[in-house]
Amino acid sequence: MDIQIKSQHSTREGWLQEFVSRSRPLFEEVGAPLPEQVRVSIGFPSKGQRSKVIGECFYASAAVDSVSEIFIRPSLQANPSQIADVLTHELIHAALPEGEGHGKLFGKAARALGLEGKLTATTAGAKWHELHDPILAELGAFPGAELRGAVAGGKKKQTTRMLKVVCNDEGCGFNFRTSAQQIEK
């Protein structure tokens, strides 16, 4: 079954950049103006595909051209609202001085923009939806789909965990590996 989602944007990056552009006035209003340039993309975090990180901001100082880069986890593509929510969190990092982390300035901006919960793992609250849902409605469908399968050429998930069986007799040293299923038999 081939599912086609119509979007007014031909690329994910176009959609993300448009969200950034339309969000700029909101960031200025809360005293966290966004840098002139911010690159935003869908991609796995620096800790890899298996990491639980859903968004990551690289400060401008990390890039040779001094432009902040933000990556949003591909598995979020099925939910444009969550993509925008995570992007809002990461944009706050890009807007604030490097090293601020999830400190006082971050907390003030996050709350003013409607993010709730623990500052290291914020979620969209009612105020966030009030501010950002009109932007999402104008942006239309997100031009991407949730990724949940295996990566081409990537590692296959291990399905059998072999157990090591060792002889306890002193000096024997005999050992072998087998599955839990074989031990149970």
Side-chain angles (χ1 to χ4, degrees):
M1 183 171 159
D2 191 18
I3 299 174
Q4 297 291 324
I5 298 174
K6 294 286 184 188
S7 176
Q8 63 189 39
H9 294 84
S10 60
T11 66
R12 298 173 296 204
E13 287 74 15
W15 190 98
L16 294 165
Q17 286 298 139
E18 185 69 22
F19 179 84
V20 172
S21 294
R22 292 176 186 246
S23 297
R24 281 183 183 281
L26 298 173
F27 279 81
E28 287 179 24
E29 284 177 28
V30 302
L34 294 172
E36 195 172 306
Q37 285 187 299
V38 178
R39 278 191 286 270
V40 187
S41 190
I42 299 293
F44 291 107
S46 60
K47 297 205 186 279
Q49 179 180 350
R50 295 180 188 218
S51 165
K52 292 184 181 180
V53 173
I54 58 174
E56 192 166 41
C57 176
F58 288 84
Y59 288 112
S61 65
V64 173
D65 62 357
S66 300
V67 176
S68 294
E69 300 238 9
I70 295 173
F71 293 95
I72 307 295
R73 176 174 282 288
S75 60
L76 303 183
Q77 293 183 102
N79 187 342
S81 182
Q82 189 178 16
I83 289 172
D85 155 14
V86 172
L87 180 53
T88 301
H89 177 111
E90 299 307 331
L91 284 169
I92 295 170
H93 286 300
L96 298 177
E98 187 171 335
E100 171 60 22
H102 296 101
K104 187 176 180 180
L105 291 175
F106 181 91
K108 183 179 177 188
R111 300 302 181 228
L113 289 166
L115 295 176
E116 298 179 347
K118 187 176 173 186
L119 292 179
T120 55
T122 59
T123 57
K127 182 176 180 181
W128 185 91
H129 285 286
E130 180 183 314
L131 295 170
H132 294 91
D133 281 354
I135 295 171
L136 295 177
E138 291 175 13
L139 289 176
F142 186 79
E146 178 182 353
L147 296 180
R148 51 189 153 131
V151 176
K155 286 184 175 180
K156 291 182 179 179
K157 185 177 179 181
Q158 181 176 343
T159 57
T160 305
R161 175 72 62 185
M162 300 301 281
L163 302 173
K164 186 175 184 179
V165 180
V166 179
C167 177
N168 284 336
D169 287 346
E170 196 171 318
C172 177
F174 178 74
N175 67 73
F176 65 95
R177 294 191 178 272
T178 188
S179 66
Q181 185 180 21
Q182 292 301 319
I183 291 172
E184 289 173 13
K185 285 182 180 178

